[in-house]
PDB file of all heavy atoms in Angstrom:
ATOM      1  N   ALA A1458      -3.211 -19.072 -19.594  1.00 91.00           N
ATOM      2  CA  ALA A1458      -3.902 -20.295 -20.220  1.00 91.00           C
ATOM      3  C   ALA A1458      -5.359 -20.366 -19.851  1.00 91.00           C
ATOM      4  O   ALA A1458      -6.160 -21.257 -20.330  1.00 91.00           O
ATOM      5  CB  ALA A1458      -3.407 -21.459 -19.732  1.00 91.00           C
ATOM      6  N   GLY A1459      -5.857 -19.456 -19.050  1.00 90.00           N
ATOM      7  CA  GLY A1459      -7.249 -19.139 -18.696  1.00 90.00           C
ATOM      8  C   GLY A1459      -7.749 -20.225 -17.535  1.00 90.00           C
ATOM      9  O   GLY A1459      -8.916 -20.619 -17.507  1.00 90.00           O
ATOM     10  N   THR A1460      -6.734 -20.521 -16.660  1.00 91.00           N
ATOM     11  CA  THR A1460      -7.183 -21.377 -15.491  1.00 91.00           C
ATOM     12  C   THR A1460      -6.492 -20.803 -14.330  1.00 91.00           C
ATOM     13  O   THR A1460      -5.776 -19.831 -14.479  1.00 91.00           O
ATOM     14  CB  THR A1460      -6.757 -22.799 -15.838  1.00 91.00           C
ATOM     15  OG1 THR A1460      -7.039 -23.600 -14.736  1.00 91.00           O
ATOM     16  CG2 THR A1460      -5.158 -22.954 -16.023  1.00 91.00           C
ATOM     17  N   ASP A1461      -6.468 -21.527 -13.294  1.00 94.00           N
ATOM     18  CA  ASP A1461      -5.819 -21.127 -12.040  1.00 94.00           C
ATOM     19  C   ASP A1461      -4.632 -21.997 -11.754  1.00 94.00           C
ATOM     20  O   ASP A1461      -4.461 -22.971 -12.606  1.00 94.00           O
ATOM     21  CB  ASP A1461      -6.789 -21.029 -10.786  1.00 94.00           C
ATOM     22  CG  ASP A1461      -7.342 -22.463 -10.563  1.00 94.00           C
ATOM     23  OD1 ASP A1461      -6.900 -23.493 -11.197  1.00 94.00           O
ATOM     24  OD2 ASP A1461      -8.408 -22.444  -9.837  1.00 94.00           O
ATOM     25  N   LEU A1462      -3.877 -21.650 -10.740  1.00 96.00           N
ATOM     26  CA  LEU A1462      -2.752 -22.507 -10.495  1.00 96.00           C
ATOM     27  C   LEU A1462      -3.043 -23.996 -10.231  1.00 96.00           C
ATOM     28  O   LEU A1462      -2.256 -24.917 -10.747  1.00 96.00           O
ATOM     29  CB  LEU A1462      -1.890 -21.952  -9.161  1.00 96.00           C
ATOM     30  CG  LEU A1462      -0.706 -22.693  -8.842  1.00 96.00           C
ATOM     31  CD1 LEU A1462       0.332 -22.767  -9.915  1.00 96.00           C
ATOM     32  CD2 LEU A1462      -0.063 -22.115  -7.536  1.00 96.00           C
ATOM     33  N   ALA A1463      -4.107 -24.312  -9.530  1.00 94.00           N
ATOM     34  CA  ALA A1463      -4.475 -25.697  -9.312  1.00 94.00           C
ATOM     35  C   ALA A1463      -4.846 -26.376 -10.505  1.00 94.00           C
ATOM     36  O   ALA A1463      -4.435 -27.546 -10.953  1.00 94.00           O
ATOM     37  CB  ALA A1463      -5.738 -25.763  -8.363  1.00 94.00           C
ATOM     38  N   GLY A1464      -5.538 -25.731 -11.530  1.00 92.00           N
ATOM     39  CA  GLY A1464      -5.869 -26.295 -12.882  1.00 92.00           C
ATOM     40  C   GLY A1464      -4.562 -26.537 -13.705  1.00 92.00           C
ATOM     41  O   GLY A1464      -4.434 -27.565 -14.283  1.00 92.00           O
ATOM     42  N   PHE A1465      -3.718 -25.491 -13.658  1.00 94.00           N
ATOM     43  CA  PHE A1465      -2.462 -25.734 -14.379  1.00 94.00           C
ATOM     44  C   PHE A1465      -1.541 -26.847 -13.809  1.00 94.00           C
ATOM     45  O   PHE A1465      -0.874 -27.571 -14.603  1.00 94.00           O
ATOM     46  CB  PHE A1465      -1.737 -24.276 -14.371  1.00 94.00           C
ATOM     47  CG  PHE A1465      -0.597 -24.246 -15.449  1.00 94.00           C
ATOM     48  CD1 PHE A1465      -0.873 -24.233 -16.820  1.00 94.00           C
ATOM     49  CD2 PHE A1465       0.713 -24.231 -14.950  1.00 94.00           C
ATOM     50  CE1 PHE A1465       0.171 -24.085 -17.720  1.00 94.00           C
ATOM     51  CE2 PHE A1465       1.702 -24.025 -15.979  1.00 94.00           C
ATOM     52  CZ  PHE A1465       1.406 -24.015 -17.217  1.00 94.00           C
ATOM     53  N   THR A1466      -1.641 -26.950 -12.547  1.00 95.00           N
ATOM     54  CA  THR A1466      -0.818 -27.911 -11.869  1.00 95.00           C
ATOM     55  C   THR A1466      -1.383 -29.330 -12.213  1.00 95.00           C
ATOM     56  O   THR A1466      -0.482 -30.241 -12.509  1.00 95.00           O
ATOM     57  CB  THR A1466      -0.768 -27.753 -10.389  1.00 95.00           C
ATOM     58  OG1 THR A1466      -0.169 -26.478  -9.894  1.00 95.00           O
ATOM     59  CG2 THR A1466      -0.013 -28.846  -9.604  1.00 95.00           C
ATOM     60  N   SER A1467      -2.578 -29.457 -12.325  1.00 92.00           N
ATOM     61  CA  SER A1467      -3.146 -30.706 -12.840  1.00 92.00           C
ATOM     62  C   SER A1467      -2.726 -31.060 -14.140  1.00 92.00           C
ATOM     63  O   SER A1467      -2.371 -32.296 -14.452  1.00 92.00           O
ATOM     64  CB  SER A1467      -4.731 -30.608 -12.705  1.00 92.00           C
ATOM     65  OG  SER A1467      -5.406 -31.703 -13.350  1.00 92.00           O
ATOM     66  N   GLN A1468      -2.563 -30.054 -15.073  1.00 93.00           N
ATOM     67  CA  GLN A1468      -2.201 -30.525 -16.412  1.00 93.00           C
ATOM     68  C   GLN A1468      -0.597 -30.746 -16.420  1.00 93.00           C
ATOM     69  O   GLN A1468      -0.243 -31.585 -17.193  1.00 93.00           O
ATOM     70  CB  GLN A1468      -2.491 -29.113 -17.266  1.00 93.00           C
ATOM     71  CG  GLN A1468      -4.011 -28.867 -17.454  1.00 93.00           C
ATOM     72  CD  GLN A1468      -4.218 -27.480 -18.243  1.00 93.00           C
ATOM     73  OE1 GLN A1468      -3.514 -27.363 -19.284  1.00 93.00           O
ATOM     74  NE2 GLN A1468      -5.115 -26.815 -17.746  1.00 93.00           N
ATOM     75  N   LEU A1469      -0.012 -29.993 -15.653  1.00 96.00           N
ATOM     76  CA  LEU A1469       1.465 -30.407 -15.409  1.00 96.00           C
ATOM     77  C   LEU A1469       1.720 -31.658 -15.000  1.00 96.00           C
ATOM     78  O   LEU A1469       2.652 -32.371 -15.370  1.00 96.00           O
ATOM     79  CB  LEU A1469       2.234 -29.282 -14.650  1.00 96.00           C
ATOM     80  CG  LEU A1469       2.609 -28.054 -15.261  1.00 96.00           C
ATOM     81  CD1 LEU A1469       3.142 -27.057 -14.220  1.00 96.00           C
ATOM     82  CD2 LEU A1469       3.612 -28.222 -16.468  1.00 96.00           C
ATOM     83  N   ASP A1470       0.893 -32.103 -14.019  1.00 95.00           N
ATOM     84  CA  ASP A1470       1.058 -33.467 -13.408  1.00 95.00           C
ATOM     85  C   ASP A1470       0.918 -34.617 -14.392  1.00 95.00           C
ATOM     86  O   ASP A1470       1.444 -35.787 -14.212  1.00 95.00           O
ATOM     87  CB  ASP A1470      -0.100 -33.611 -12.303  1.00 95.00           C
ATOM     88  CG  ASP A1470       0.372 -32.869 -11.115  1.00 95.00           C
ATOM     89  OD1 ASP A1470       1.400 -32.349 -10.990  1.00 95.00           O
ATOM     90  OD2 ASP A1470      -0.686 -32.620 -10.232  1.00 95.00           O
ATOM     91  N   SER A1471       0.079 -34.407 -15.496  1.00 95.00           N
ATOM     92  CA  SER A1471      -0.061 -35.352 -16.539  1.00 95.00           C
ATOM     93  C   SER A1471       0.859 -35.087 -17.836  1.00 95.00           C
ATOM     94  O   SER A1471       0.369 -35.537 -18.806  1.00 95.00           O
ATOM     95  CB  SER A1471      -1.503 -35.521 -16.836  1.00 95.00           C
ATOM     96  OG  SER A1471      -2.087 -34.377 -17.107  1.00 95.00           O
ATOM     97  N   THR A1472       1.780 -34.328 -17.574  1.00 96.00           N
ATOM     98  CA  THR A1472       2.759 -33.910 -18.648  1.00 96.00           C
ATOM     99  C   THR A1472       4.203 -34.112 -18.245  1.00 96.00           C
ATOM    100  O   THR A1472       4.548 -33.761 -17.113  1.00 96.00           O
ATOM    101  CB  THR A1472       2.596 -32.366 -18.972  1.00 96.00           C
ATOM    102  OG1 THR A1472       1.228 -32.080 -19.302  1.00 96.00           O
ATOM    103  CG2 THR A1472       3.447 -31.978 -20.375  1.00 96.00           C
ATOM    104  N   GLU A1473       4.857 -34.911 -18.912  1.00 97.00           N
ATOM    105  CA  GLU A1473       6.238 -35.294 -18.655  1.00 97.00           C
ATOM    106  C   GLU A1473       7.138 -34.183 -19.247  1.00 97.00           C
ATOM    107  O   GLU A1473       7.648 -34.124 -20.386  1.00 97.00           O
ATOM    108  CB  GLU A1473       6.681 -36.610 -19.188  1.00 97.00           C
ATOM    109  CG  GLU A1473       8.037 -37.055 -18.789  1.00 97.00           C
ATOM    110  CD  GLU A1473       8.167 -37.384 -17.235  1.00 97.00           C
ATOM    111  OE1 GLU A1473       7.033 -37.750 -16.588  1.00 97.00           O
ATOM    112  OE2 GLU A1473       9.200 -37.150 -16.608  1.00 97.00           O
ATOM    113  N   MET A1474       7.279 -33.054 -18.378  1.00 98.00           N
ATOM    114  CA  MET A1474       8.076 -31.862 -18.887  1.00 98.00           C
ATOM    115  C   MET A1474       9.559 -32.246 -18.788  1.00 98.00           C
ATOM    116  O   MET A1474       9.971 -32.891 -17.786  1.00 98.00           O
ATOM    117  CB  MET A1474       7.735 -30.694 -17.989  1.00 98.00           C
ATOM    118  CG  MET A1474       6.403 -30.121 -18.052  1.00 98.00           C
ATOM    119  SD  MET A1474       5.867 -29.413 -19.715  1.00 98.00           S
ATOM    120  CE  MET A1474       7.245 -28.157 -19.927  1.00 98.00           C
ATOM    121  N   PHE A1475      10.295 -31.682 -19.846  1.00 98.00           N
ATOM    122  CA  PHE A1475      11.734 -32.042 -19.816  1.00 98.00           C
ATOM    123  C   PHE A1475      12.298 -30.633 -19.368  1.00 98.00           C
ATOM    124  O   PHE A1475      12.774 -29.876 -20.086  1.00 98.00           O
ATOM    125  CB  PHE A1475      12.221 -32.363 -21.215  1.00 98.00           C
ATOM    126  CG  PHE A1475      11.755 -33.717 -21.666  1.00 98.00           C
ATOM    127  CD1 PHE A1475      11.303 -33.916 -22.980  1.00 98.00           C
ATOM    128  CD2 PHE A1475      11.682 -34.841 -20.830  1.00 98.00           C
ATOM    129  CE1 PHE A1475      10.833 -35.088 -23.525  1.00 98.00           C
ATOM    130  CE2 PHE A1475      11.029 -36.037 -21.216  1.00 98.00           C
ATOM    131  CZ  PHE A1475      10.788 -36.272 -22.665  1.00 98.00           C
ATOM    132  N   TYR A1476      12.493 -30.603 -17.962  1.00 98.00           N
ATOM    133  CA  TYR A1476      12.980 -29.459 -17.380  1.00 98.00           C
ATOM    134  C   TYR A1476      14.514 -29.235 -17.697  1.00 98.00           C
ATOM    135  O   TYR A1476      15.003 -28.149 -17.783  1.00 98.00           O
ATOM    136  CB  TYR A1476      12.894 -29.290 -15.967  1.00 98.00           C
ATOM    137  CG  TYR A1476      11.161 -29.220 -15.624  1.00 98.00           C
ATOM    138  CD1 TYR A1476      10.543 -30.300 -14.991  1.00 98.00           C
ATOM    139  CD2 TYR A1476      10.671 -27.893 -15.709  1.00 98.00           C
ATOM    140  CE1 TYR A1476       9.190 -30.081 -14.733  1.00 98.00           C
ATOM    141  CE2 TYR A1476       9.328 -27.725 -15.383  1.00 98.00           C
ATOM    142  CZ  TYR A1476       8.598 -28.799 -14.930  1.00 98.00           C
ATOM    143  OH  TYR A1476       7.183 -28.665 -14.595  1.00 98.00           O
ATOM    144  N   GLU A1477      15.080 -30.438 -17.762  1.00 97.00           N
ATOM    145  CA  GLU A1477      16.540 -30.356 -18.039  1.00 97.00           C
ATOM    146  C   GLU A1477      16.778 -30.961 -19.458  1.00 97.00           C
ATOM    147  O   GLU A1477      16.267 -31.833 -19.874  1.00 97.00           O
ATOM    148  CB  GLU A1477      17.304 -31.309 -17.080  1.00 97.00           C
ATOM    149  CG  GLU A1477      17.035 -30.973 -15.571  1.00 97.00           C
ATOM    150  CD  GLU A1477      17.864 -29.604 -15.192  1.00 97.00           C
ATOM    151  OE1 GLU A1477      18.739 -29.249 -15.990  1.00 97.00           O
ATOM    152  OE2 GLU A1477      17.323 -29.092 -14.143  1.00 97.00           O
ATOM    153  N   PRO A1478      17.834 -30.309 -20.183  1.00 98.00           N
ATOM    154  CA  PRO A1478      18.053 -30.782 -21.480  1.00 98.00           C
ATOM    155  C   PRO A1478      18.506 -32.385 -21.583  1.00 98.00           C
ATOM    156  O   PRO A1478      18.280 -32.983 -22.672  1.00 98.00           O
ATOM    157  CB  PRO A1478      19.317 -29.890 -21.914  1.00 98.00           C
ATOM    158  CG  PRO A1478      19.862 -29.176 -20.766  1.00 98.00           C
ATOM    159  CD  PRO A1478      18.674 -29.183 -19.796  1.00 98.00           C
ATOM    160  N   ALA A1479      19.181 -32.759 -20.456  1.00 97.00           N
ATOM    161  CA  ALA A1479      19.602 -34.146 -20.483  1.00 97.00           C
ATOM    162  C   ALA A1479      18.287 -35.022 -20.640  1.00 97.00           C
ATOM    163  O   ALA A1479      18.352 -36.183 -21.370  1.00 97.00           O
ATOM    164  CB  ALA A1479      20.293 -34.477 -19.177  1.00 97.00           C
ATOM    165  N   ASP A1480      17.106 -34.605 -20.064  1.00 97.00           N
ATOM    166  CA  ASP A1480      15.922 -35.468 -20.138  1.00 97.00           C
ATOM    167  C   ASP A1480      15.414 -35.479 -21.461  1.00 97.00           C
ATOM    168  O   ASP A1480      14.953 -36.568 -21.943  1.00 97.00           O
ATOM    169  CB  ASP A1480      14.956 -34.899 -19.180  1.00 97.00           C
ATOM    170  CG  ASP A1480      15.333 -34.998 -17.630  1.00 97.00           C
ATOM    171  OD1 ASP A1480      16.075 -35.852 -17.372  1.00 97.00           O
ATOM    172  OD2 ASP A1480      14.865 -34.017 -17.011  1.00 97.00           O
ATOM    173  N   ALA A1481      15.442 -34.290 -22.231  1.00 98.00           N
ATOM    174  CA  ALA A1481      15.030 -34.353 -23.560  1.00 98.00           C
ATOM    175  C   ALA A1481      15.888 -35.081 -24.366  1.00 98.00           C
ATOM    176  O   ALA A1481      15.362 -35.720 -25.376  1.00 98.00           O
ATOM    177  CB  ALA A1481      15.018 -32.848 -24.064  1.00 98.00           C
ATOM    178  N   LEU A1482      17.223 -35.089 -24.203  1.00 98.00           N
ATOM    179  CA  LEU A1482      18.122 -35.836 -25.012  1.00 98.00           C
ATOM    180  C   LEU A1482      18.031 -37.243 -25.038  1.00 98.00           C
ATOM    181  O   LEU A1482      18.125 -38.048 -25.952  1.00 98.00           O
ATOM    182  CB  LEU A1482      19.582 -35.483 -24.559  1.00 98.00           C
ATOM    183  CG  LEU A1482      20.068 -34.106 -25.030  1.00 98.00           C
ATOM    184  CD1 LEU A1482      21.305 -33.625 -24.362  1.00 98.00           C
ATOM    185  CD2 LEU A1482      20.305 -34.086 -26.525  1.00 98.00           C
ATOM    186  N   GLU A1483      17.579 -37.653 -23.775  1.00 98.00           N
ATOM    187  CA  GLU A1483      17.339 -39.232 -23.440  1.00 98.00           C
ATOM    188  C   GLU A1483      16.307 -39.712 -24.502  1.00 98.00           C
ATOM    189  O   GLU A1483      16.421 -40.796 -25.045  1.00 98.00           O
ATOM    190  CB  GLU A1483      16.899 -39.493 -22.071  1.00 98.00           C
ATOM    191  CG  GLU A1483      16.852 -40.925 -21.766  1.00 98.00           C
ATOM    192  CD  GLU A1483      16.475 -41.188 -20.223  1.00 98.00           C
ATOM    193  OE1 GLU A1483      16.572 -40.310 -19.507  1.00 98.00           O
ATOM    194  OE2 GLU A1483      16.094 -42.398 -19.916  1.00 98.00           O
ATOM    195  N   LEU A1484      15.142 -38.880 -24.607  1.00 98.00           N
ATOM    196  CA  LEU A1484      14.028 -39.438 -25.528  1.00 98.00           C
ATOM    197  C   LEU A1484      14.519 -39.099 -26.890  1.00 98.00           C
ATOM    198  O   LEU A1484      14.407 -40.060 -27.846  1.00 98.00           O
ATOM    199  CB  LEU A1484      12.823 -38.617 -25.167  1.00 98.00           C
ATOM    200  CG  LEU A1484      11.654 -38.898 -26.250  1.00 98.00           C
ATOM    201  CD1 LEU A1484      11.122 -40.350 -26.212  1.00 98.00           C
ATOM    202  CD2 LEU A1484      10.483 -37.971 -26.004  1.00 98.00           C
ATOM    203  N   THR A1485      15.086 -38.055 -27.183  1.00 98.00           N
ATOM    204  CA  THR A1485      15.427 -37.620 -28.623  1.00 98.00           C
ATOM    205  C   THR A1485      16.450 -38.591 -29.317  1.00 98.00           C
ATOM    206  O   THR A1485      16.349 -38.880 -30.439  1.00 98.00           O
ATOM    207  CB  THR A1485      15.955 -36.096 -28.635  1.00 98.00           C
ATOM    208  OG1 THR A1485      15.130 -35.257 -28.109  1.00 98.00           O
ATOM    209  CG2 THR A1485      16.337 -35.760 -30.186  1.00 98.00           C
ATOM    210  N   ASN A1486      17.451 -39.044 -28.402  1.00 98.00           N
ATOM    211  CA  ASN A1486      18.439 -39.994 -28.853  1.00 98.00           C
ATOM    212  C   ASN A1486      18.056 -41.456 -28.927  1.00 98.00           C
ATOM    213  O   ASN A1486      18.852 -42.188 -29.509  1.00 98.00           O
ATOM    214  CB  ASN A1486      19.747 -39.776 -28.057  1.00 98.00           C
ATOM    215  CG  ASN A1486      20.379 -38.333 -28.302  1.00 98.00           C
ATOM    216  OD1 ASN A1486      20.251 -37.732 -29.258  1.00 98.00           O
ATOM    217  ND2 ASN A1486      21.083 -37.889 -27.375  1.00 98.00           N
ATOM    218  N   SER A1487      16.912 -41.735 -28.535  1.00 98.00           N
ATOM    219  CA  SER A1487      16.456 -43.080 -28.309  1.00 98.00           C
ATOM    220  C   SER A1487      15.996 -43.780 -29.514  1.00 98.00           C
ATOM    221  O   SER A1487      15.460 -43.221 -30.404  1.00 98.00           O
ATOM    222  CB  SER A1487      15.435 -43.164 -27.154  1.00 98.00           C
ATOM    223  OG  SER A1487      14.193 -42.722 -27.686  1.00 98.00           O
ATOM    224  N   GLN A1488      16.052 -45.176 -29.459  1.00 97.00           N
ATOM    225  CA  GLN A1488      15.551 -45.944 -30.584  1.00 97.00           C
ATOM    226  C   GLN A1488      14.136 -45.932 -30.456  1.00 97.00           C
ATOM    227  O   GLN A1488      13.338 -46.119 -31.477  1.00 97.00           O
ATOM    228  CB  GLN A1488      16.040 -47.381 -30.284  1.00 97.00           C
ATOM    229  CG  GLN A1488      15.710 -48.425 -31.559  1.00 97.00           C
ATOM    230  CD  GLN A1488      16.490 -48.011 -32.833  1.00 97.00           C
ATOM    231  OE1 GLN A1488      17.676 -47.603 -32.674  1.00 97.00           O
ATOM    232  NE2 GLN A1488      15.934 -48.157 -33.955  1.00 97.00           N
ATOM    233  N   LYS A1489      13.461 -45.634 -29.244  1.00 97.00           N
ATOM    234  CA  LYS A1489      12.067 -45.628 -29.122  1.00 97.00           C
ATOM    235  C   LYS A1489      11.490 -44.556 -29.844  1.00 97.00           C
ATOM    236  O   LYS A1489      10.256 -44.622 -30.440  1.00 97.00           O
ATOM    237  CB  LYS A1489      11.749 -45.379 -27.584  1.00 97.00           C
ATOM    238  CG  LYS A1489      10.350 -45.252 -27.319  1.00 97.00           C
ATOM    239  CD  LYS A1489       9.918 -45.123 -25.851  1.00 97.00           C
ATOM    240  CE  LYS A1489       8.506 -44.597 -25.523  1.00 97.00           C
ATOM    241  NZ  LYS A1489       7.494 -45.367 -26.326  1.00 97.00           N
ATOM    242  N   LEU A1490      12.159 -43.366 -29.970  1.00 98.00           N
ATOM    243  CA  LEU A1490      11.627 -42.166 -30.801  1.00 98.00           C
ATOM    244  C   LEU A1490      11.446 -42.738 -32.242  1.00 98.00           C
ATOM    245  O   LEU A1490      10.430 -42.383 -32.867  1.00 98.00           O
ATOM    246  CB  LEU A1490      12.526 -41.009 -30.701  1.00 98.00           C
ATOM    247  CG  LEU A1490      12.134 -39.817 -31.537  1.00 98.00           C
ATOM    248  CD1 LEU A1490      10.756 -39.305 -31.240  1.00 98.00           C
ATOM    249  CD2 LEU A1490      13.164 -38.717 -31.472  1.00 98.00           C
ATOM    250  N   LEU A1491      12.425 -43.432 -32.687  1.00 98.00           N
ATOM    251  CA  LEU A1491      12.386 -43.838 -34.064  1.00 98.00           C
ATOM    252  C   LEU A1491      11.202 -44.731 -34.343  1.00 98.00           C
ATOM    253  O   LEU A1491      10.466 -44.616 -35.288  1.00 98.00           O
ATOM    254  CB  LEU A1491      13.622 -44.509 -34.427  1.00 98.00           C
ATOM    255  CG  LEU A1491      13.876 -44.923 -35.929  1.00 98.00           C
ATOM    256  CD1 LEU A1491      13.921 -43.609 -36.841  1.00 98.00           C
ATOM    257  CD2 LEU A1491      15.244 -45.717 -36.096  1.00 98.00           C
ATOM    258  N   GLN A1492      10.949 -45.724 -33.354  1.00 97.00           N
ATOM    259  CA  GLN A1492       9.805 -46.544 -33.444  1.00 97.00           C
ATOM    260  C   GLN A1492       8.450 -45.863 -33.311  1.00 97.00           C
ATOM    261  O   GLN A1492       7.420 -46.059 -34.064  1.00 97.00           O
ATOM    262  CB  GLN A1492       9.884 -47.639 -32.354  1.00 97.00           C
ATOM    263  CG  GLN A1492       8.559 -48.609 -32.344  1.00 97.00           C
ATOM    264  CD  GLN A1492       8.438 -49.397 -33.668  1.00 97.00           C
ATOM    265  OE1 GLN A1492       9.472 -50.100 -34.194  1.00 97.00           O
ATOM    266  NE2 GLN A1492       7.373 -49.412 -34.500  1.00 97.00           N
ATOM    267  N   THR A1493       8.372 -44.865 -32.421  1.00 97.00           N
ATOM    268  CA  THR A1493       7.193 -43.992 -32.355  1.00 97.00           C
ATOM    269  C   THR A1493       6.868 -43.193 -33.604  1.00 97.00           C
ATOM    270  O   THR A1493       5.734 -43.104 -34.075  1.00 97.00           O
ATOM    271  CB  THR A1493       7.467 -42.918 -31.196  1.00 97.00           C
ATOM    272  OG1 THR A1493       7.454 -43.624 -29.974  1.00 97.00           O
ATOM    273  CG2 THR A1493       6.238 -41.805 -31.145  1.00 97.00           C
ATOM    274  N   MET A1494       7.872 -42.713 -34.255  1.00 98.00           N
ATOM    275  CA  MET A1494       7.598 -42.042 -35.442  1.00 98.00           C
ATOM    276  C   MET A1494       7.188 -42.962 -36.659  1.00 98.00           C
ATOM    277  O   MET A1494       6.498 -42.473 -37.508  1.00 98.00           O
ATOM    278  CB  MET A1494       8.957 -41.269 -35.858  1.00 98.00           C
ATOM    279  CG  MET A1494       9.144 -40.008 -34.967  1.00 98.00           C
ATOM    280  SD  MET A1494       7.721 -38.943 -34.528  1.00 98.00           S
ATOM    281  CE  MET A1494       7.198 -38.405 -36.156  1.00 98.00           C
ATOM    282  N   GLN A1495       7.616 -44.152 -36.568  1.00 98.00           N
ATOM    283  CA  GLN A1495       7.110 -45.101 -37.524  1.00 98.00           C
ATOM    284  C   GLN A1495       5.546 -45.506 -37.305  1.00 98.00           C
ATOM    285  O   GLN A1495       4.852 -45.335 -38.211  1.00 98.00           O
ATOM    286  CB  GLN A1495       7.845 -46.571 -37.427  1.00 98.00           C
ATOM    287  CG  GLN A1495       7.325 -47.489 -38.344  1.00 98.00           C
ATOM    288  CD  GLN A1495       8.246 -48.723 -38.512  1.00 98.00           C
ATOM    289  OE1 GLN A1495       9.349 -48.771 -37.956  1.00 98.00           O
ATOM    290  NE2 GLN A1495       7.590 -49.905 -38.845  1.00 98.00           N
ATOM    291  N   ASN A1496       5.249 -45.443 -36.023  1.00 96.00           N
ATOM    292  CA  ASN A1496       3.828 -45.711 -35.639  1.00 96.00           C
ATOM    293  C   ASN A1496       3.030 -44.514 -36.107  1.00 96.00           C
ATOM    294  O   ASN A1496       1.910 -44.768 -36.634  1.00 96.00           O
ATOM    295  CB  ASN A1496       3.705 -45.877 -34.161  1.00 96.00           C
ATOM    296  CG  ASN A1496       4.318 -47.158 -33.539  1.00 96.00           C
ATOM    297  OD1 ASN A1496       4.531 -48.132 -34.339  1.00 96.00           O
ATOM    298  ND2 ASN A1496       4.535 -47.269 -32.211  1.00 96.00           N
ATOM    299  N   VAL A1497       3.578 -43.356 -35.922  1.00 97.00           N
ATOM    300  CA  VAL A1497       2.847 -42.245 -36.307  1.00 97.00           C
ATOM    301  C   VAL A1497       2.697 -42.045 -37.771  1.00 97.00           C
ATOM    302  O   VAL A1497       1.679 -41.686 -38.338  1.00 97.00           O
ATOM    303  CB  VAL A1497       3.576 -40.795 -35.747  1.00 97.00           C
ATOM    304  CG1 VAL A1497       3.083 -39.543 -36.339  1.00 97.00           C
ATOM    305  CG2 VAL A1497       3.449 -40.798 -34.288  1.00 97.00           C
ATOM    306  N   ALA A1498       3.738 -42.338 -38.500  1.00 98.00           N
ATOM    307  CA  ALA A1498       3.726 -42.316 -39.965  1.00 98.00           C
ATOM    308  C   ALA A1498       2.755 -43.436 -40.509  1.00 98.00           C
ATOM    309  O   ALA A1498       2.045 -43.029 -41.411  1.00 98.00           O
ATOM    310  CB  ALA A1498       5.148 -42.570 -40.576  1.00 98.00           C
TER     311      ALA A1498
END
């Protein structure tokens, strides 16, 4: 990515990574996602 570990860690710290599929499923299956996509649309 053109940075060092500290720089990349800083970016990861402000990114909610879904390391487990269960975490991704919680957002994907939520009513909140539907509302978000309405806002985006």
